[in-house]
């Protein structure tokens, strides 16, 4: 064992966890073969990786348009009721036949399949999330060519039979999803994407296919199948990020080695490299063994010339190439595994806030490299219901858009998939902290022997894979199942103790020990939401799993006023919350027809899967704005889509700031000390009603533009109580900003009336602090009785407030904000003519400068264009006695011109949706 002394170079090039073919290792990519997809009546070309729906659409069998067009989730459902077979043939080369062991390695099959080689069954699969390794040595050695058949069973029919077999003993609930979901039953009985059977934001396309790559592998000594690493610093990090801080690190590297012949003793060595420098060489003996899979552990060390990995905003996202080579004596074959890793420490502090008074509850704070990290982010769902259709570039765009909106964390929700390697690679690069759910959501689950065994294999596959990514913070063994069981969501009170025992068997006795075995350094939470140690003390099913004094909460309130901060609870961590909206007309029109473009259309009802969702949206809009008349047809439809986005943006802004303001506040009931806000949800799976801030395809909703401001590290967050305005400064960075001037302006809706401005100096954004820095009175300090006079409207309906911060430090970035004193529907607004007056550019990086103007004060000004891209701001208030113009930037994501944009940008403001329009 040696410690590398040479300086290590920082790894900046993109690379995934990969197998490197070496001398005498023979491989054939499954994707290079010519595949056929067939059933009893149909035969078409197949693709690997791929899926049945995509192949049938590509071949023209699904001939009513894209899977997402109109009612095709119903029209194409027959596909999921049928068994399908993928077939391909490969030629056996002399090199392959000469290898001692030949196997099929599948990274993912969706889901129930039998794998045959030359008609002989070589393996079966029952889990979309398991990596399978099937030996075909004897078949290959006896053949000049091998025909592979992957026989896929209907997931709908298979899960129905599984449910019925289980129900002979007792039913594992629910029996089916809510009818509003328009989906299929019994997803909880099959280990595949649960949302492929539908969810309250997405369609049912119960998919099948070889959805991840697979490889035919031949070797004669050893093959490294998996590798994990645990990194431990040899010194304590300072509590404030210090770019100059360095420490040595211990790396515990574990490799799973497949032996070509486990009966033979092989002597050799394992060599570890970091960024090309040898850090350790150990002598090893491989075999004889009772199994062909053995595990080897190697310790290696890095000197003080390495840098840790940090979340975005706290430091660099330094990554290193880890390479392990396994070679045996008297052989030219070398087994190689390469991964990209980061060096970090992380834990979730759930200690008592006051050990002398435990009733106050526990913290729920994340520390990375010794520094508390406030989590600002969102929840991730599958980017398409057919996972083979999601490209790496689309994943990158969505994650970069999350960072662009000042998000540093994302939760991968437990009803989708463990994301592909590229997702985590990109998160590593961008510094996004990942909450990783295990794929169990909103259901009870079986605990039969076969089910527990496949879950163990699933956890092993995923924990070994995700272990290598510094972005992954923690695991959560399920989504909402503790709350579902305690809350009797599915009638489990009929035998509560039975279902509780199943819960403990699956999560506590099976999943969590497996996670700790294969990824021991990461925190594991039993459920989300949960009370953490308090739930454990109560037997893993707390009396109130959403107790705001512990753990995390999921909070949805569609009855209260989403624009009022008083609606939202003090809590430790909000890992789900949000409000629905509809996508823009540009996105909706791509998946619908003109006959669908009315507020009361069957299509809108079809794509609203949330029970009572349409009534809730309409009620929320009508509380603050005027709901368009459905009789106005397409025009009303467009206005309605826009208003749903206004409501969503304002409500989620209000809720997010409510949580951020209590970062350092604890009320008399022990509630507060919030350390994170992850709204539901970042992305959409199709064009339908959802909680997403980014539409399917990548267009930003108004919410995502607002998120860029309310999730900035430093924000101004005012609230109005009667005539008192309390202005909070929120700063979740470990650095202070001083000598701040706060500017508060009382702005009349009448653009011809003068405003009033108050400046307050010598304020500070204290490090890791949220507190009220100024209290002003509308009458005494802001003169609103003078400024907001109107013969027809009340004071609150005649004015609004704006807030900004400035400092001599020009690097200070604090977004401006506003507060409406009354409701938009009652505001003293006039019809506004908002228009684009000039567009020029592009700059070298494709940015255009857009100038807009207005003749009246305009609320929620929203710019859209057919050109893919992002504006620097959107959904803002425009117009005052001092200025009627605003200059914006537009980052184009495709080729365009200033001339085209000038004529194509469409602007909507609130007044366009009212009686003035």
């Amino acid at each position: 064992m040696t410690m590398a002394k040479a300086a290590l170079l920082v790894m900046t090039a993109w690379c995934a966890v990969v197998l490197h073919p070496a001398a005498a290792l023979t491989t054939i990519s499954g994707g290079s073969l010519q595949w056929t997809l067939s059933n009893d009546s149909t035969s078409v070309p197949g693709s690997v990786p791929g899926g049945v729906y995509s192949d049938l659409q590509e071949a023209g069998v699904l001939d009513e348009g894209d899977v997402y067009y109109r009612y095709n989730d119903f029209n194409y459902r027959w596909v999921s009721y049928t068994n399908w077979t993928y077939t391909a043939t490969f030629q056996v080369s002399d090199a392959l036949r000469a290898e001692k062991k030949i196997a099929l390695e599948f990274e993912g099959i969706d889901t129930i399949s039998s794998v045959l080689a030359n008609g002989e069954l070589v393996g079966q699969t029952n889990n979309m999330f398991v990596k399978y390794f099937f030996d075909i040595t004897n078949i290959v050695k006896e053949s000049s060519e091998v025909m592979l058949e992957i026989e896929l069973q209907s997931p709908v029919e298979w899960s129905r039979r599984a449910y019925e077999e289980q129900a002979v003993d007792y039913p594992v609930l629910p029996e089916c999803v809510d009818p509003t979901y328009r989906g299929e039953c019994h997803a909880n009985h099959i280990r595949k994407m649960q949302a492929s059977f539908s969810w309250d934001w997405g369609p049912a396309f119960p998919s099948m296919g070889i959805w991840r790559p697979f490889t035919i592998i031949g070797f004669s000594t050893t093959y490294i199948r998996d590798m994990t690493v645990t990194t431990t610093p040899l010194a304590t990090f300072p509590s404030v990020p210090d770019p100059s801080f360095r420490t040595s690190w211990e790396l515990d590297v574990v490799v799973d080695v497949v032996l070509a012949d486990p009966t033979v003793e092989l002597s050799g060595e394992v060599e570890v490299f970091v960024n090309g420098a040898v850090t350790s060489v150990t002598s090893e003996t491989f075999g004889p063994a009772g199994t062909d899979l053995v595990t080897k552990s190697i310790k290696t060390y890095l000197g003080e010339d390495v840098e840790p990995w940090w979340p975005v905003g706290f430091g660099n996202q330094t990554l290193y190439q880890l390479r392990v080579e396994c070679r045996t004596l008297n052989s030219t074959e070398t087994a190689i595994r390469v991964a990209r890793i980061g060096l970090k420490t992380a834990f979730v502090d759930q200690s008592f806030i006051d050990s002398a008074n435990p009733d106050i509850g526990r913290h729920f704070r994340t520390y990375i490299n010794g520094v508390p990290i406030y989590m600002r982010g969102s929840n991730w769902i599958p980017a398409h219901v057919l996972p083979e259709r999601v490209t790496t570039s689309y994943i990158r765009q969505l994650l970069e858009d999350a960072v662009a909106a000042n998000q540093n964390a994302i939760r991968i929700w437990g009803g989708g998939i463990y994301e592909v390697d590229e997702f985590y690679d990109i998160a590593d690069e961008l510094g996004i902290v990942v909450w990783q759910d295990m794929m169990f959501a909103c259901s009870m689950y079986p605990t039969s022997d076969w089910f527990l065994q496949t879950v163990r294999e699933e956890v092993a596959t995923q924990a070994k894979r995700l272990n290598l990514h510094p972005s992954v913070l923690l695991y959560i063994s399920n989504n909402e199942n503790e709350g579902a069981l305690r809350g009797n969501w599915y009638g489990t009170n009929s035998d509560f103790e039975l279902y509780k025992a199943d819960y403990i068997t699956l999560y506590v006795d099976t999943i969590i020990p497996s996670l700790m075995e294969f990824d021991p350094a990461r925190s594991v939470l039993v459920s989300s939401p949960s009370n953490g140690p308090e739930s454990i003390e109560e037997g893993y099913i707390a009396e109130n799993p959403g107790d705001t004094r512990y753990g995390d909460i999921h909070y949805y309130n569609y009855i209260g006023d989403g624009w009022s901060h008083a609606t939202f609870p003090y809590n430790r961590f909000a890992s789900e919350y949000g409000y629905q909206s509809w996508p823009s007309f540009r996105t909706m029109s791509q998946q619908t027809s003109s006959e669908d473009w009315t507020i009361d259309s069957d299509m809108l009802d079809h794509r609203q899967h949330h029970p009572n969702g349409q009534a809730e949206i309409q009620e929320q809009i009508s509380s603050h704005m005027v709901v368009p008349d459905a009789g106005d047809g397409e025009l009303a439809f467009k206005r309605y889509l826009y208003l749903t986005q206004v409501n969503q943006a304002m409500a989620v802004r209000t809720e997010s700031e409510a949580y951020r303001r209590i970062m350092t506040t604890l009320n008399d009931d022990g509630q507060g000390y919030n350390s994170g806000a992850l709204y539901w949800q970042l992305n959409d799976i199709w064009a339908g009603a959802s909680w997403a801030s980014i539409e399917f395809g990548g267009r930003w909703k108004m919410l995502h533009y607002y998120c860029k401001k309310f999730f900035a590290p430093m924000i101004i967050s005012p609230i109005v109580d009667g005539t008192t305005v309390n202005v909070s400064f929120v700063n979740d960075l470990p650095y202070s900003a001083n000598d701040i001037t706060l500017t508060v302006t009382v702005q009349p809706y009448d653009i011809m009336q003068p405003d009033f401005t108050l400046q307050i100096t010598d304020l500070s954004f204290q490090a890791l602090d949220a507190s009220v820095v100024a209290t002003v009175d509308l009458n005494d300090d802001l003169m609103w009785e003078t400024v907001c006079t109107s013969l027809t409207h009340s004071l609150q309906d005649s004015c609004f407030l704006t807030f900004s911060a400035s400092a001599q430090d020009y690097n200070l970035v604090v977004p401006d904000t506003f507060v409406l004193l009354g409701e938009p529907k009652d505001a003293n607004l006039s019809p506004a003519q908002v228009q684009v007056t000039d567009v020029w550019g592009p700059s070298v990086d494709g940015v255009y400068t857009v100038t807009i103007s207005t003749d009246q004060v305009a609320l929620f000004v929203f710019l859209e264009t057919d050109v893919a891209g992002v504006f620097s701001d959107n959904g803002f208030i425009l117009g005052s006695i001092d200025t009627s113009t605003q200059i914006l930037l537009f980052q184009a994501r495709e080729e365009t011109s200033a001339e085209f944009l000038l004529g194509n940008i469409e602007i909507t403001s609130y007044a366009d949706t009212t009686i003035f329009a």
Side-chain angles (χ1 to χ4, degrees), residues 525-554:
L525 307 180
V526 183
S527 186
S528 177
S530 181
N531 298 343
E534 178 64 22
S535 285
I536 294 173
E537 291 176 7
E538 295 181 40
Y540 295 98
I541 307 295
E543 286 295 326
N544 176 19
D547 191 326
T548 51
R549 297 171 300 159
Y550 305 94
D552 63 324
I553 66 166
H554 296 183

Side-chain angles (χ1 to χ4, degrees), residues 785-804:
E785 290 181 332
T786 301
V787 177
C788 304
T789 56
S790 170
L791 297 177
T792 57
H793 290 74
S794 64
L795 294 173
Q796 61 265 30
D797 295 328
S798 300
C799 286
F800 59 96
L801 305 179
T802 64
F803 303 81
S804 63

Side-chain angles (χ1 to χ4, degrees), residues 39 52-53 56-57 61-84 153-157 159 176-187 192 194-199 202-208 385-386 606-607 609 686:
N39 67 1
V52 171
Y53 277 103
L56 292 175
Q57 183 178 325
V61 175
L62 304 181
D63 58 2
E64 297 182 58
D66 183 72
V67 292
Y68 283 163
Y69 184 66
R70 300 200 76 214
Y71 298 98
N72 281 346
D73 55 322
F74 278 6
N75 298 337
Y76 295 165
R77 191 73 58 85
W78 63 270
V79 172
S80 67
Y81 303 152
T82 306
N83 298 336
W84 296 89
Q153 294 188 41
S154 159
V156 176
E157 294 301 316
S159 57
C176 198
V177 295
D178 191 290
T180 312
Y181 288 20
R182 298 171 176 82
E184 296 294 335
C185 306
H186 315 309
K192 68 183 270 80
Q194 302 289 273
S196 69
F197 278 44
S198 80
W199 216 263
F205 283 92
S207 52
M208 291 167 278
V385 74
L386 304 177
H606 178 73
R607 294 197 174 219
H609 289 190
W686 72 336

Side-chain angles (χ1 to χ4, degrees), residues 11 15 18 31 128 453 558 643 660 711 762 765 846:
M11 182 73 170
C15 88
V18 294
M128 181 181 183
Q453 179 57 33
Y558 307 120
L643 290 173
R660 294 195 67 188
F711 271 167
D762 298 327
F765 283 93

Side-chain angles (χ1 to χ4, degrees), residues 833-837 851-855 878 884-886 907:
Q833 298 296 319
V834 187
Q835 57 188 346
V836 179
T837 58
T851 303
I852 64 174
S853 67
T854 184
D855 61 345
L878 178 65
S884 60
T885 63
Q886 184 159 332
I907 301 177

Side-chain angles (χ1 to χ4, degrees), residues 529-829:
S530 181
N531 298 343
E534 178 64 22
S535 285
I536 294 173
E537 291 176 7
E538 295 181 40
Y540 295 98
I541 307 295
E543 286 295 326
N544 176 19
D547 191 326
T548 51
R549 297 171 300 159
Y550 305 94
D552 63 324
I553 66 166
H554 296 183
Y555 186 78
Y556 297 96
N557 184 340
Y558 307 120
I559 299 174
D561 182 358
W563 295 25
S564 170
H565 68 95
T567 300
F568 306 111
Y570 278 52
N571 63 85
R572 299 287 187 257
F573 195 110
S575 55
E576 278 192 30
Y577 63 96
Y579 288 83
Q580 276 199 323
S581 72
W582 284 90
S584 65
F585 179 75
R586 282 174 168 81
T587 296
M588 285 293 293
S589 63
Q590 294 173 0
Q591 297 181 12
T592 57
S593 174
S594 58
E595 62 198 274
D596 305 321
W597 299 341
T598 61
I599 295 175
D600 54 1
S601 70
D602 291 339
M603 177 57 65
L604 238 60
D605 180 66
H606 178 73
R607 294 197 174 219
Q608 172 57 274
H609 289 190
H610 174 56
N612 205 38
Q614 287 302 87
E616 290 170 352
I617 289 177
Q618 180 152 328
E619 178 62 28
Q620 291 157 21
I621 293 173
S622 65
S623 296
H624 308 284
M625 298 171 287
V626 178
V627 179
D629 186 341
D632 289 338
E634 182 180 327
L635 179 60
F637 178 72
K638 292 179 178 179
R639 293 171 175 174
Y640 171 77
L641 299 180
Y642 162 82
L643 290 173
T644 68
Q645 293 203 19
V646 172
N647 178 72
Q648 179 194 40
M650 288 292 290
V652 177
R653 181 187 85 148
T654 303
E655 187 166 5
S656 299
E657 291 191 19
Y659 298 149
R660 294 195 67 188
R661 278 196 305 271
I662 59 172
M663 181 175 69
T664 52
T665 299
L666 197 70
N667 68 15
D668 293 339
D669 296 322
Q671 300 164 324
Y673 283 179
N674 176 274
S675 62
L678 309 178
Y679 66 80
W680 185 269
Q681 65 213 62
L682 177 71
N683 57 312
D684 249 338
I685 201 168
W686 72 336
S690 83
W691 294 255
S693 65
I694 299 178
E695 300 172 5
F696 177 79
R699 188 182 300 276
W700 287 22
K701 289 183 179 179
M702 191 180 296
L703 169 58
H704 207 71
Y705 286 101
Y706 276 37
C707 176
K708 184 179 177 182
K709 294 187 175 183
F710 65 64
F711 271 167
M714 297 182 186
I715 63 169
I716 309 165
S717 185
I719 57 175
V720 177
D721 183 9
T723 63
T724 300
V725 182
N726 291 306
V727 184
S728 293
F729 279 2
V730 179
N731 176 18
D732 58 38
L733 297 177
Y735 315 102
S736 296
N738 301 314
D739 299 322
I740 306 297
T741 297
L742 172 68
T743 300
V744 185
T745 300
V746 184
Q747 170 68 56
Y749 286 118
D750 184 344
I751 200 169
M752 300 306 296
Q753 286 187 234
D755 54 29
F756 177 83
T757 296
L758 173 70
Q759 288 193 326
I760 305 172
T761 60
D762 298 327
L763 301 177
S764 296
F765 283 93
Q766 297 296 331
L768 300 172
D769 181 69
S771 57
V772 175
V773 296
T775 299
V776 296
D777 187 81
L778 289 171
N779 292 320
D780 298 337
D781 301 307
L782 297 177
M783 310 296 290
W784 81 321
E785 290 181 332
T786 301
V787 177
C788 304
T789 56
S790 170
L791 297 177
T792 57
H793 290 74
S794 64
L795 294 173
Q796 61 265 30
D797 295 328
S798 300
C799 286
F800 59 96
L801 305 179
T802 64
F803 303 81
S804 63
S806 59
Q808 292 182 348
D809 180 2
Y810 294 103
N811 292 320
L812 180 74
V813 178
V814 180
D816 298 348
T817 191
F818 66 88
V819 170
L820 302 182
L821 299 173
E823 304 295 352
K825 65 182 179 181
D826 301 321
N828 184 21
L829 289 169

